[in-house]
Amino acid sequence: LAPAAMVWVRFRSQEDDQVLEVQLGLDGAVIGHTHFVSREAEIPEVSEQRSREVALAAIGHRLVEREISAPSELTVGEPVRGEPGTWRYTWRWPFPDSPELDIRSQIKVRGGRLVGDTITANIDEAYARRQPDARSPWGLAFYFGALALMVFFGIFRFIQRVRQREVSYSRSVSLALTVTAIYAAVLLTTDTVTFFGAVAGSSPQFRLQVWFFDIGLTVIVSMLVGLAYGSGEGDLREPYPGKLASLDTLLTGRLLSRNVARATVIGAAIGGWIYFAENLITLPIDYLGWGREIDDLNSWFGHISWVSVFFDWIIDAVLFLVPGLLIPLPFFYKRFHSHRTAILLTSVAILVFCSTGPFPAYRPWEAKLVVAIPLAFFLLIAFFAGDLLTGVIAFGSSRIISDAVSLLAQPAPTLRRDGIIILVVAGLALLVQIFLAFRGRLYREDDVRPLYASRLAERLLLQSEVAAAREAQMRLLPQKIPTLPGLNLAAVCQPAYEVGGDFYDFIMLEDGRLAILVAAGRENRLGAALSIAYAMGFLLPRLPAGPLAAATDAHPTDLIRQLHDHLTTRIGAGYDIGFLLCIVDSDCQVLSYARTGNSPCILVVVPDSSGCRLCQPDEKIREFQSAYDDGVVIKLAEGSIQKGPNSQTDLNSLTDPNSLTDPNSLIIIATDSALTGLRSQPALLTPLIKTIALQPALAGVVGTLAQILKRQGVDDDLTIVALRPEN
């Protein structure tokens, strides 16, 4: 009564005012029918009693045909909304041996005539929950939810790439138009539009509207496909160069190139393995009683049905590869900076999209997962052994082989003929591609990539140079913290970008003293790093020369003045780098320093009842005339911190009188953003004044401060050097 597969046929009258839709079984038996009449037709008034008699006669005919003896008990007739003069009746078929099945006939009577006799089969919900479900609503919800998430992320990345001017509009539009044209070809070669356009009272204009409506939906989907490609292909070029070369060659119209040919040949070979593995895995699945739902076979019945086999798989390939590979792979790589992690997570993503989506429609869900494993595995093999076009061809060729074999297994000679045509056409195309794989022209990636990709290559080159500069900068930072009797020392520099503008270094002088240099650059990070390297080259040969107390050119003020003068001459008066140089004597009794710019600064951390407070030492502002340019005046700040009385800043006067040598006394040198954060959150320094392990405590303070500033929208380098005089 309700077979798993049916053939639907529509007959339309010559006047286009009536349509008869008939459902047939594969044996040709009539399962049901519906008679559509134009709304403009006049419907005679007939009583409900007369309509019931017509419905009872139809049910009686059904019972005689099936040789079933049962009472014809119809439900109370209900008028059909939107169809004047039409009554609907329902009758439940008696099948005591199958109580889980609820099979009902729906009878429609209009104007005293039988216009509808259809059968619906429903499974009892309690019974269905105990059985393998063909299409779990949760699985479909998860699939479309994940797909929607990928779409939103693709739109977000597309907007970002538009702002970066790294998107190929022509490639995205051409891909969208290609998908639209392919789907239009499928519609033209099948009876889909003809079938759904054959409704009562329809006109040729209405059938065109149906056709354009389908095309309109396809255009929307194709635009999303083009947008997803535009958002993902640029991200994919960075970590995996060359994986889009053959697809670029195809999109630029070079169909007879060696690039496309090699991708086609390799993809066809992998597609054969996909088909073999899927069928090998389905053998035990079929033995267990699991199986695959019958697909919609509209593409098999049409004007040129074999053509649609070469086209209708493309939408499925897009639904698998774009959200399962093209978008997740570069996203995971950028997030974790590991090819192994990115490949592992992408494998999970593509497996999810292959198993939770509507394809393949195996039941139960475990069967779908098992069948999806070889598909996901070989698609990844196709991508990494070849490229993205190889993966597309691998998926498509497996579907073409499957359709061709399925057609060859049909009893209808016309379908078997279509299967032979598909294999012949595919074989000839493959032979041509094998020839072109050896004789075709090979295009370099530079020849076929979009125009923006050249700017992308320049950016990647610049990033590599910046990475090299960062490596050089990290090598300039001291590898270990020096030790000085009576001094606990710690330092942390956390760059906000690839190359930071902050820097610190420790230099042991010949007389046992320690020089500390801290620099803060706020504009051009790479330029700041190079200027800091120049500053190191300038200071190193001057600091160790002779006893510090007797060398006037080695005083912090003189050294910073000379350094500032040299940088102003070579870079210009507008360079924005601040330097602080301080000297700590051997017994840690005096700290003298000089600095230029608003940052870095030196502060004294004073313990109090609330935790701690920050005090800035008294400083003297000095002005010097440039030795290289009479019009330039150099402004410096100098100061000193001393343990004991009669000093500009007396640690004894800043803390408790009994804590002259208290290990809680703390001096910090910090750059601008670190200073701003510490002044607003002085409690962050409390762990520093209570710990012996100063270095790990300072690292924790800088990490916490970075998180606070990031939430406030501040993204800057953080550098702090901490000194604590001890007994």
Side-chain angles (χ1 to χ4, degrees):
L1 292 177
M6 292 187 295
V7 178
W8 295 53
V9 183
R10 278 183 176 177
F11 300 94
R12 188 177 64 247
S13 65
Q14 294 182 353
E15 294 79 11
D16 282 341
D17 60 346
Q18 299 182 60
V19 169
L20 180 63
E21 183 179 280
V22 184
Q23 295 90 46
L24 302 174
L26 296 182
D27 58 354
V30 176
I31 299 172
H33 73 276
T34 305
H35 187 192
F36 300 96
V37 181
S38 175
R39 294 183 179 180
E40 299 177 357
E42 296 183 1
I43 307 298
E45 292 291 338
V46 177
S47 65
E48 191 275 337
Q49 182 62 32
R50 172 56 183 161
S51 299
R52 175 176 288 272
E53 293 175 358
V54 174
L56 288 172
I59 292 297
H61 177 75
R62 284 276 193 175
L63 292 175
V64 171
E65 182 183 20
R66 297 290 176 177
E67 298 180 354
I68 296 177
S69 177
S72 304
E73 297 179 357
L74 299 178
T75 59
V76 178
E78 56 180 356
V80 180
R81 182 180 300 179
E83 299 182 22
T86 305
W87 294 86
R88 180 190 292 116
Y89 302 90
T90 304
W91 182 75
R92 188 171 188 262
W93 287 77
F95 288 107
D97 296 336
S98 302
E100 71 277 359
L101 287 177
D102 182 15
I103 301 181
R104 297 174 182 265
S105 284
Q106 287 193 350
I107 309 297
K108 290 174 62 176
V109 180
R110 180 187 297 118
R113 297 179 56 187
L114 181 67
V115 296
D117 183 359
T118 58
I119 293 179
T120 59
N122 297 305
I123 300 178
D124 179 69
E125 292 185 2
Y127 173 82
R129 282 194 293 267
R130 298 193 300 268
Q131 304 301 321
D133 190 8
R135 290 178 184 265
S136 170
W138 293 107
L140 289 176
F142 181 81
Y143 170 79
F144 287 109
L147 186 62
L149 181 64
M150 288 296 177
V151 168
F152 287 127
F153 177 74
I155 294 174
F156 170 74
R157 283 299 297 151
F158 186 82
I159 295 175
Q160 281 189 325
R161 299 200 69 84
V162 167
R163 291 178 176 176
Q164 295 172 352
R165 296 183 180 180
E166 292 185 356
V167 64
S168 176
Y169 299 101
S170 59
R171 305 284 173 96
S172 300
V173 172
S174 63
L175 182 62
L177 293 178
T178 300
V179 174
T180 302
I182 289 172
Y183 188 75
V186 174
L187 291 180
L188 288 173
T189 57
T190 66
D191 286 334
T192 302
V193 175
T194 303
F195 181 84
F196 290 105
V199 295
S202 65
S203 61
Q205 290 78 12
F206 178 79
R207 288 190 286 277
L208 285 176
Q209 291 175 6
V210 174
W211 195 84
F212 280 112
F213 178 76
D214 277 351
I215 295 298
L217 290 178
T218 306
V219 169
I220 296 176
V221 175
S222 301
M223 289 175 60
L224 292 176
V225 170
L227 183 143
Y229 176 77
S231 64
E233 57 97 17
D235 291 337
L236 193 66
R237 293 181 193 275
E238 298 185 26
Y240 300 97
K243 294 301 181 181
L244 294 173
S246 60
L247 186 58
D248 288 333
T249 307
L250 179 64
L251 292 177
T252 53
R254 298 172 172 89
L255 302 179
L256 304 180
S257 64
R258 190 181 302 180
N259 308 70
V260 176
R262 288 181 175 178
T264 303
V265 173
I266 298 175
I270 297 177
W273 282 105
I274 293 176
Y275 177 74
F276 173 76
E278 286 182 344
N279 283 273
L280 188 64
I281 288 179
T282 55
L283 289 177
I285 288 179
D286 294 337
Y287 178 78
L288 292 173
W290 299 348
R292 179 180 181 132
E293 289 186 355
I294 297 177
D295 293 330
D296 187 359
L297 305 179
N298 285 340
S299 60
W300 284 14
F301 303 97
H303 311 293
I304 317 175
S305 57
W306 61 270
V307 174
S308 63
V309 174
F310 291 98
F311 292 147
D312 58 1
W313 58 268
I314 294 181
I315 300 295
D316 298 345
V318 169
L319 291 176
F320 285 144
L321 292 174
V322 170
L325 178 65
L326 182 62
I327 294 179
L329 183 59
F331 170 77
F332 289 135
Y333 177 77
K334 285 190 173 183
R335 179 66 178 83
F336 299 101
H337 300 285
S338 170
H339 289 289
R340 181 177 300 178
T341 304
I343 293 173
L344 178 62
L345 294 177
T346 303
S347 303
V348 176
I350 196 170
L351 182 60
V352 166
F353 279 97
C354 288
S355 60
T356 59
F359 317 102
Y362 281 88
R363 61 178 184 179
W365 180 83
E366 291 82 357
K368 297 177 68 174
L369 178 62
V370 171
V371 175
I373 288 176
L375 176 60
F377 174 76
F378 282 109
L379 287 180
L380 288 172
I381 291 294
F383 175 78
F384 288 105
D387 52 22
L388 185 61
L389 182 60
T390 306
V392 174
I393 299 298
F395 179 88
S397 58
S398 67
R399 292 299 174 264
I400 292 173
I401 296 172
S402 177
D403 288 343
V405 173
S406 299
L407 286 169
L408 288 173
Q410 301 306 312
T414 54
L415 296 181
R416 292 200 302 270
R417 180 204 62 193
D418 286 347
I420 294 174
I421 293 175
I422 292 170
L423 290 179
V424 171
V425 172
L428 292 176
L430 184 59
L431 289 175
V432 172
Q433 294 301 317
I434 292 175
F435 172 79
L436 293 174
F438 294 96
R439 297 291 185 177
R441 178 180 175 183
L442 181 64
Y443 291 90
R444 298 183 301 111
E445 185 181 10
D446 296 344
D447 300 330
V448 294
R449 66 185 181 185
L451 180 61
Y452 88 87
S454 60
R455 295 192 293 269
L456 176 63
E458 294 175 358
R459 180 167 65 84
L460 293 178
L461 179 61
L462 179 60
Q463 287 179 348
S464 64
E465 294 177 353
V466 170
R470 174 179 172 81
E471 180 67 19
Q473 180 195 12
M474 297 306 294
R475 289 180 179 273
L476 285 175
L477 292 175
Q479 300 301 311
K480 63 179 182 178
I481 305 297
T483 57
L484 197 66
L487 182 65
N488 195 345
L489 189 61
V492 174
C493 178
Q494 181 171 314
Y497 301 93
E498 291 296 330
V499 178
D502 288 1
F503 176 81
Y504 70 89
D505 197 9
F506 304 103
I507 306 166
M508 293 299 301
L509 305 182
E510 291 180 353
D511 59 352
R513 301 185 185 189
L514 176 67
I516 303 174
L517 174 66
V518 181
R522 289 172 290 279
E523 294 298 334
N524 189 331
R525 308 275 166 177
L526 185 57
L530 296 177
S531 299
I532 290 169
Y534 172 81
M536 288 296 299
F538 175 84
L539 292 175
L540 283 176
R542 289 168 171 77
L543 282 171
L548 184 63
T552 56
D553 61 343
H555 191 274
T557 302
D558 296 330
L559 289 173
I560 289 294
R561 177 181 61 81
Q562 294 178 27
L563 173 62
H564 188 29
D565 209 357
H566 277 269
L567 286 175
T568 302
T569 304
R570 284 158 177 76
I571 301 177
Y575 85 94
D576 197 7
I577 303 176
F579 292 95
L580 186 148
L581 178 64
C582 68
I583 307 295
V584 184
D585 61 7
S586 57
D587 55 1
C588 303
Q589 295 294 319
V590 180
L591 182 150
S592 302
Y593 70 92
R595 64 182 184 88
T596 177
N598 297 323
S599 170
C601 286
I602 192 166
L603 297 174
V604 178
V605 181
V606 182
D608 60 12
S609 58
S610 62
C612 60
R613 57 189 177 91
L614 304 180
C615 299
Q616 186 167 359
D618 295 331
E619 296 180 342
K620 181 179 180 181
I621 305 299
R622 299 186 61 181
E623 295 185 357
F624 301 91
Q625 192 72 33
S626 173
Y628 300 94
D629 189 347
D630 295 338
V632 176
V633 176
I634 301 173
K635 292 184 178 181
L636 304 177
E638 62 179 3
S640 63
I641 301 175
Q642 179 175 334
K643 289 180 63 177
N646 303 323
S647 62
Q648 295 179 3
T649 301
D650 187 354
L651 293 184
N652 189 29
S653 65
L654 294 173
T655 59
D656 187 81
N658 298 324
S659 60
L660 180 62
T661 58
D662 191 339
N664 290 338
S665 302
L666 186 67
I667 302 170
I668 64 168
I669 304 171
T671 54
D672 46 4
S673 294
L675 282 169
T676 303
L678 292 177
R679 280 172 173 153
S680 62
Q681 304 277 343
L684 291 176
L685 293 173
T686 302
L688 299 183
I689 62 178
K690 296 181 179 181
T691 182
I692 299 176
L694 193 58
Q695 181 63 35
L698 182 61
V701 169
V702 172
T704 304
L705 184 60
Q707 295 178 1
I708 295 174
L709 294 177
K710 189 174 183 179
R711 287 194 295 266
Q712 297 174 355
V714 178
D715 194 9
D716 196 8
D717 305 329
L718 298 177
T719 301
I720 299 178
V721 177
L723 305 88
R724 187 168 59 207
E726 296 179 344
N727 292 333

